[in-house]
Amino acid sequence: MFALNPPKSNLFFRHSPPLLSAFWPRRIHVPGTRRRSVQIEAVVSGGDKTVTSSPLDGKERKTSVASDGGSDEGIQVRAVLTIRKKMKEKITEKLEDQWEYFINGVGQGIQIHLISHQIDPVTNSGKSVQSYVRGWLPKPSKVSYIVEYAAEFSVPSDFGCPGAVLITNLHSKEFYLLEIILHGFTGGPIFFPANTWIHSRNDNPESRIIFNNQAYLPSQTPDGIKDLRREDLLSLRGNQHGEKKHHERVYDYATYNDLGNPDKDEELARPVLGCHDMPYPRRCRTGRPPTRSDPLSESRIEKPHPVYVPRDETFEEIKQDTFSAGRLKALFHNLIPSLAATLSSSDIPFKCFSDIDKLYLDGVLLRDEEQHKVSVENLLVGKVMKLVLSVGDRWLKYEIPAVIKGDKFSWLRDNEFARQTLAGVNPVNIELLKEFPIVSKLDPDVYGPSESALTKELLEQELGGMSLEKAIEEKRLFILDYHDMLLPFIKKINSLPGRKAYASRTVLFNTKTGSLRPIAIELSLPQTHSSPQHKRVYTHGHDATTHWIWKLAKAHVCSNDGGIHQLVNHWLRTHASMEPYIIATHRQLSSMHPIYKLLHPHMRYTLEINALARQNLINGGGVIEASFSPGKYAMELSSAAYKNLWRFDMESLPADLIRRGMAIEDPSMPFGVKLLIEDYPYASDGLLIWSAIKEWVESYVGHFYTDPNLVTSDVELQAWWSEIKSKGHYDKRNEPWWPKLDTKEELSSILTTMIWVASGQHAAINFGQYPFGGYVPNRPTLMRKLIPQENDPDYVKFIQNPQLVFLSSLPTQLQATKVMAVQDTLSTHSPDEEYLGQLNPLHAHWISDHEVLKLFNKFSDRLKEIEEIINARNKDPRLKNRNGAGVPPYELLLPSSGPGVTGRGIPNSVSI
């Protein structure tokens, strides 16, 4: 059997009103077991024959014709519809339910057509029979929000196997259909997984098409449902006209032209991303009208109003509750510091480290009353504000982040700084230093001399007697190089109030003991008309002054790392890049296509979370601009990274490691690569996950594409890959590095990369945000001051009180608490999270192919083995980057997790 998330309760059926409770006195029992083997006993209408079967009985279900022993009168078939109601209903909604029960009971609520695989010679389309839902199946329920309805059909004996169901919702509002099960055909029940909102006929007169769980390549589609396959895809593509409505399921492309709000404020205008100068992946089109101020920009819908995403992409109720709670928490985290800033003359910095500790102990953020005596009563705020203040301590008390929970001072040490490049929240930027001298690729006429200030002599002073040549030859030198990515933006960033940044390079040395340590940091400012490019190199030094300056230099590097992590590695490379794959999958691959079925779990919630991010996080004036170093230029920086660095063929884990020089190709190794640093937790654990995904995908693809020509002749698949390149990543459509799609090996490679990005890659760089970033000095998201030089007016203050200067360079209390609230929310697993290798019990009938289920079961078992391997690694005293005094274990690539901020768990999709 394949692995399932253990259900939290047995799935019985909801109590129905007594009015029509006698309609279907038949017994259906769905035990809440791990196997969820559904035993169904149904008395065939008009006889006493009983059919008992299990949908997962160890045999692949074959298509079969309807039969009742050869009677010309046909057979009686029952369709059972499983519908999910709201978990928390208002009284008015419960009353509406009673009316729906009545309407359905009398056969006026839901119309159903069964469509056969076989062609009707009269209509030249699939044979069809029609019925209506009547009544319900009364059974005591522990899951009050699951309801089942039934419809009876009299089906001719030569009808054939039903391949599709057409649903017409005659009610005035939509409902959520989980699945349809047909009973009465030989070979057992036939399953039609839906997991979709069924729109009201008042909103759209077209019926919804639901296919059974048999996977077909386009060329294998039974004749009776070929037209429906095409029709369903056409409905999902829609057209380029009009604003999309809440109930619609239309997937289309648009540029990032909705980040700014020039109608509200000129300062909130933002350039369009997705053009020649600023390329970017495409997002899902909403069709909103342009702004009055800028015809190229789309008008915005501000929170709390929802941004359009296709109806089935929206959060389910459990997720909505979790995210709402997170947003509420963030609101209070922002509101109270904002009120504190109102009480004071301006936002205030941390004055001592105990101010930071208070965030975890009691949350005190208001200024000292002796400095600013203002009564809350004089703020002319309502009772809600007073109530907020009265409960402020509770709302503002943060959890102690994992990075300081075991060792409060670890962040100060060089070895912890280096450890986090391999086992932190952003372990994907460290590279092997392959050549020396280090040379910029930027135009020297614009940005100054291309050669780095990191000289041979300076580095050799830190190498303990080893020559630079030997260190490079032995592959002992590594670099975090943010110089070329950031230097074009530094002048603009430093013009923003309260922002000061450098372009940075950091060189690290792998010692003979196997520990990595930073040995030199280069910080650069761009050249101006009055001065040449400003480059300074810092080392850890041997006196108090140089030690403190070294700490400031490391803080600037961490700030750069935090911005690149959030805007490039997290948002661009996972969230934004996945969106075109999802849009193309819905537009070009039928839901009965085997590749659609493979990818479907890895698309869950992504469009919705991305829409929310464009509304609240990456928009002009949003949290990212307010809290991260690039400020209003944040998304321009992300676009530059897409233009200069992003390429699909480098998004696979082995290719990325090889590109960065962190691994070399080695066919003799288990994963085909050998790591240069064995104790590289992200890479070593990631390769385990990557290989498991690769094995699962290759076996799945091989099962369906048995003939070499099936890949090239698959019209849906070829259109899918073409559209990803030509529309989804339009600005990179002509790049030569796009993989071809001619063989099943190429298909497997493409799919493995997509699934890795959605699952393992996103998990590794997302769920550690609060555990590592929740302590501001460890990962400041911005710096407010440059490092004081000897001729600066503030240098004397630095000498007198370096701690105060260090803290005043970090984000303010308001900035810090804002970003901590966001990191806490983004690091949170929802209770309904679906993890890699697991399956929601309500989606158990996703495919009818028993061989595929065995392959999935093997994948699931492998992930359990990997979890044991990672746990053993975290206990290995030889692995210093994941084990030791106060060192948190590396758990970001452990497959499973519970809800909340756990610092572990790999969801199937980019879901937060």
Side-chain angles (χ1 to χ4, degrees):
M1 292 309 303
F2 63 123
L4 304 176
N5 281 326
K8 292 182 172 58
S9 60
N10 291 343
L11 296 177
F12 294 96
F13 304 113
R14 184 174 186 156
H15 267 307
S16 303
L19 178 63
L20 301 171
S21 61
F23 267 83
W24 310 119
R26 288 143 191 197
R27 188 160 57 90
I28 294 185
H29 172 56
V30 183
T33 63
R34 181 175 179 84
R35 190 169 186 262
R36 200 175 181 257
S37 178
V38 184
Q39 295 294 334
I40 300 175
E41 294 181 15
V43 179
V44 177
S45 179
D48 58 0
K49 179 181 175 183
T50 300
V51 178
T52 304
S53 67
S54 168
L56 303 175
D57 58 2
K59 298 179 181 178
E60 180 179 350
R61 184 170 64 252
K62 305 294 185 181
T63 60
S64 59
V65 297
S67 171
D68 69 338
S71 171
D72 292 335
E73 297 177 359
I75 64 167
Q76 296 302 307
V77 172
R78 165 178 290 185
V80 178
L81 285 71
T82 304
I83 292 173
R84 187 186 69 208
K85 310 294 289 186
K86 287 188 68 173
M87 298 169 66
K88 299 177 182 177
E89 288 191 318
K90 301 174 184 176
I91 294 178
T92 55
E93 290 171 329
K94 291 181 179 179
L95 292 175
E96 289 175 356
D97 284 348
Q98 301 300 312
W99 177 247
E100 284 184 22
Y101 293 147
F102 176 76
I103 296 298
N104 287 335
V106 297
Q108 297 296 315
I110 303 173
Q111 184 186 63
I112 306 179
H113 282 81
L114 303 188
I115 310 297
S116 171
H117 284 171
Q118 296 183 13
I119 291 286
D120 185 332
V122 176
T123 64
N124 204 30
S125 58
K127 294 178 180 179
S128 172
V129 292
Q130 172 189 313
S131 185
Y132 290 83
V133 159
R134 293 180 183 273
W136 50 83
L137 301 170
K139 187 75 177 179
S141 173
K142 293 183 180 179
V143 183
S144 60
Y145 54 89
I146 300 294
V147 171
E148 296 210 355
Y149 294 103
E152 296 278 5
F153 293 85
S154 180
V155 180
S157 58
D158 63 350
F159 183 78
C161 179
V165 173
L166 304 187
I167 300 289
T168 306
N169 176 9
L170 307 178
H171 293 287
S172 60
K173 67 176 186 178
E174 65 186 1
F175 63 84
Y176 191 85
L177 180 64
L178 287 168
E179 71 176 355
I180 303 170
I181 305 177
L182 296 185
H183 305 286
F185 290 90
T186 57
I190 301 174
F191 296 91
F192 292 76
N195 302 302
T196 184
W197 289 97
I198 306 297
H199 60 262
S200 167
R201 188 173 62 173
N202 296 343
D203 293 324
N204 181 354
E206 299 295 326
S207 300
R208 281 295 310 282
I209 304 169
I210 309 295
F211 296 106
N212 71 21
N213 62 349
Q214 179 71 43
Y216 294 106
L217 297 176
S219 60
Q220 300 165 346
T221 312
D223 291 340
I225 57 174
K226 279 183 178 179
D227 288 345
L228 292 180
R229 182 170 185 148
R230 287 191 294 269
E231 184 180 322
D232 193 44
L233 284 174
L234 287 173
S235 71
L236 291 166
R237 294 171 195 163
N239 56 57
Q240 282 283 335
H241 305 295
E243 183 173 354
K244 298 296 106 185
K245 298 179 176 61
H246 173 74
H247 68 271
E248 291 187 292
R249 297 166 61 249
V250 173
Y251 295 80
D252 207 347
Y253 302 95
T255 59
Y256 277 67
N257 62 348
D258 63 340
L259 300 179
N261 194 348
D263 286 349
K264 183 177 181 181
D265 190 331
E266 288 183 4
E267 288 298 312
L268 294 178
R270 295 294 180 269
V272 174
L273 303 186
C275 57
H276 180 267
D277 294 332
M278 293 187 185
Y280 217 61
R282 295 306 190 255
R283 64 170 176 92
C284 190
R285 179 180 175 273
T286 64
R288 295 194 301 269
T291 60
R292 297 187 305 274
S293 309
D294 178 8
L296 297 179
S297 294
E298 187 174 270
S299 57
R300 288 181 54 78
I301 293 180
E302 301 295 349
K303 57 185 178 182
H305 303 292
V307 177
Y308 168 80
V309 292
R311 186 65 183 101
D312 291 338
E313 305 296 330
T314 54
F315 290 164
E316 294 179 23
E317 193 174 354
I318 296 175
K319 178 75 169 182
Q320 286 175 345
D321 289 347
T322 302
F323 197 74
S324 294
R327 284 194 294 175
L328 183 64
K329 188 175 179 182
L331 172 66
F332 278 97
H333 281 152
N334 295 339
L335 180 59
I336 302 229
S338 296
L339 196 52
T342 303
L343 286 166
S344 61
S345 58
S346 62
D347 191 18
I348 54 178
F350 295 107
K351 295 179 181 177
C352 58
F353 284 97
S354 61
D355 283 345
I356 302 175
D357 295 338
K358 285 179 181 178
L359 296 174
Y360 317 112
L361 299 175
D362 53 24
V364 175
L365 286 173
L366 293 176
R367 287 187 64 176
D368 190 343
E369 287 184 1
E370 292 182 3
Q371 297 180 30
H372 200 91
K373 295 182 179 179
V374 176
S375 170
V376 176
E377 301 293 336
N378 295 331
L379 288 176
L380 300 177
V381 297
K383 293 182 179 179
V384 174
M385 287 293 190
K386 297 173 189 175
L387 180 63
V388 169
L389 283 173
S390 70
V391 299
D393 290 354
R394 185 180 66 194
W395 285 106
L396 282 170
K397 189 175 180 180
Y398 288 85
E399 291 291 324
I400 298 175
V403 72
I404 60 164
K405 187 171 285 187
D407 184 352
K408 184 178 179 180
F409 304 105
S410 63
W411 67 276
L412 286 165
R413 295 194 298 270
D414 285 353
N415 67 334
E416 177 62 18
F417 174 93
R419 188 189 76 84
Q420 290 185 32
T421 67
L422 301 170
V425 70
N426 188 40
V428 297
N429 278 111
I430 185 170
E431 299 180 64
L432 177 70
L433 182 59
K434 301 173 184 177
E435 297 178 351
F436 199 87
I438 302 167
V439 178
S440 169
K441 295 179 182 178
L442 297 174
D443 184 350
D445 292 335
V446 178
Y447 298 103
S450 57
E451 194 163 306
S452 168
L454 291 160
T455 64
K456 179 177 186 292
E457 295 74 23
L458 189 147
L459 291 178
E460 285 185 338
Q461 292 176 16
E462 306 296 326
L463 295 180
M466 178 180 286
S467 70
L468 180 66
E469 292 80 7
K470 188 170 181 60
I472 291 177
E473 180 187 349
E474 294 184 2
K475 300 181 178 178
R476 303 271 290 278
L477 289 177
F478 299 85
I479 188 169
L480 280 179
D481 193 346
Y482 298 136
H483 179 277
D484 286 9
M485 193 182 301
L486 290 176
L487 191 62
F489 293 90
I490 295 299
K491 185 178 180 180
K492 292 193 286 188
I493 292 172
N494 288 348
S495 68
L496 299 172
R499 306 288 170 100
K500 293 295 180 231
Y502 302 92
S504 63
R505 291 186 177 106
T506 307
V507 177
L508 304 100
F509 178 56
N510 196 16
T511 66
K512 290 182 179 179
T513 61
S515 62
L516 198 64
R517 65 181 179 90
I519 60 173
I521 295 173
E522 178 195 64
L523 299 179
S524 301
L525 295 173
Q527 68 177 8
T528 63
H529 294 297
S530 58
S531 63
Q533 187 180 12
H534 177 89
K535 298 180 182 180
R536 286 185 181 270
V537 175
Y538 300 91
T539 58
H540 53 80
H542 302 285
D543 60 82
T545 301
T546 53
H547 270 299
W548 271 106
I549 290 178
W550 176 244
K551 288 180 179 65
L552 282 167
K554 287 196 297 181
H556 274 280
V557 173
C558 287
S559 173
N560 288 346
D561 191 72
I564 299 301
H565 162 258
Q566 195 67 262
L567 296 164
V568 179
N569 299 327
H570 180 210
W571 173 257
L572 168 64
R573 293 178 61 189
T574 62
H575 284 260
S577 293
M578 279 300 301
E579 188 152 347
Y581 311 152
I582 295 168
I583 297 170
T585 299
H586 284 284
R587 285 170 54 87
Q588 298 298 341
L589 298 182
S590 166
S591 61
M592 69 175 80
H593 197 293
I595 302 306
Y596 177 96
K597 290 181 177 292
L598 175 69
L599 288 177
H600 188 260
H602 306 290
M603 304 187 293
R604 185 175 185 240
Y605 290 159
T606 303
L607 296 191
E608 171 84 343
I609 197 66
N610 285 4
L612 289 168
R614 292 194 302 273
Q615 188 179 41
N616 301 325
L617 296 179
I618 63 172
N619 58 301
V623 174
I624 298 300
E625 289 192 358
S627 306
F628 285 80
S629 182
K632 64 187 290 185
Y633 306 106
M635 291 303 290
E636 291 183 40
L637 173 63
S638 189
S639 171
Y642 179 69
K643 179 178 182 179
N644 298 320
L645 299 175
W646 187 90
R647 44 187 289 177
F648 182 88
D649 62 328
M650 292 291 110
E651 292 303 292
S652 79
L653 178 59
D656 176 62
L657 293 171
I658 293 169
R659 177 185 62 83
R660 291 189 283 121
M662 300 303 293
I664 57 174
E665 289 190 67
D666 187 345
S668 67
M669 298 299 290
F671 312 116
V673 296
K674 181 180 181 180
L675 295 176
L676 262 62
I677 299 177
E678 274 191 52
D679 190 9
Y680 185 1
Y682 160 77
S684 56
D685 292 1
L687 285 170
L688 290 172
I689 301 296
W690 168 270
S691 64
I693 295 172
K694 182 173 181 285
E695 183 180 352
W696 153 238
V697 170
E698 287 178 344
S699 62
Y700 184 95
V701 168
H703 177 72
F704 287 100
Y705 292 90
T706 53
D707 188 296
N709 297 323
L710 285 176
V711 171
T712 53
S713 63
D714 187 333
V715 291
E716 288 183 3
L717 188 71
Q718 294 298 325
W720 167 78
W721 184 234
S722 176
E723 186 167 292
I724 285 172
K725 296 180 292 183
S726 64
K727 291 188 176 180
H729 287 271
Y730 176 84
D731 303 314
K732 296 227 168 194
R733 64 194 182 281
N734 295 322
E735 296 287 354
W737 40 253
W738 284 105
K740 293 181 178 180
L741 185 51
D742 295 334
T743 66
K744 63 181 180 182
E745 289 77 18
E746 290 166 341
L747 174 58
S748 297
S749 177
I750 290 167
L751 294 170
T752 301
T753 296
M754 289 180 179
I755 294 173
W756 160 254
V757 168
S759 57
Q761 182 67 72
H762 179 258
I765 58 180
N766 180 71
F767 292 104
Q769 289 196 71
Y770 187 80
F772 285 96
Y775 187 67
V776 180
N778 183 61
R779 284 184 68 79
T781 54
L782 60 83
M783 296 294 283
R784 300 192 302 131
K785 295 181 179 180
L786 297 175
I787 297 176
Q789 305 300 322
E790 291 185 15
N791 57 348
D792 292 341
D794 288 342
Y795 191 76
V796 174
K797 294 179 181 178
F798 168 70
I799 294 297
Q800 292 173 344
N801 193 339
Q803 173 181 289
L804 183 60
V805 171
F806 179 86
L807 289 171
S808 65
S809 300
L810 301 181
T812 65
Q813 294 191 28
L814 177 57
Q815 289 168 330
T817 51
K818 272 186 176 182
V819 78
M820 287 168 67
V822 173
Q823 289 171 334
D824 176 77
T825 301
L826 296 180
S827 303
T828 300
H829 289 289
S830 171
D832 74 333
E833 200 83 87
E834 295 179 4
Y835 296 97
L836 196 64
Q838 298 180 350
L839 195 68
N840 187 320
L842 295 176
H843 302 169
H845 304 133
W846 67 287
I847 198 166
S848 64
D849 194 316
H850 185 68
E851 183 61 32
V852 168
L853 299 180
K854 289 200 310 187
L855 295 173
F856 185 85
N857 183 55
K858 182 180 179 182
F859 173 53
S860 179
D861 288 343
R862 177 56 182 159
L863 289 170
K864 292 173 186 175
E865 294 172 3
I866 289 172
E867 192 150 314
E868 294 175 2
I869 293 170
I870 293 174
N871 285 329
R873 287 175 174 176
N874 284 330
K875 296 175 183 177
D876 189 340
R878 297 169 299 175
L879 302 176
K880 304 300 183 184
N881 289 325
R882 62 200 308 158
N883 185 283
V887 177
Y890 187 76
E891 297 182 328
L892 289 171
L893 285 168
L894 279 173
S896 67
S897 175
V901 181
T902 63
R904 60 175 288 169
I906 304 177
N908 275 320
S909 60
V910 179
S911 58
I912 188 66

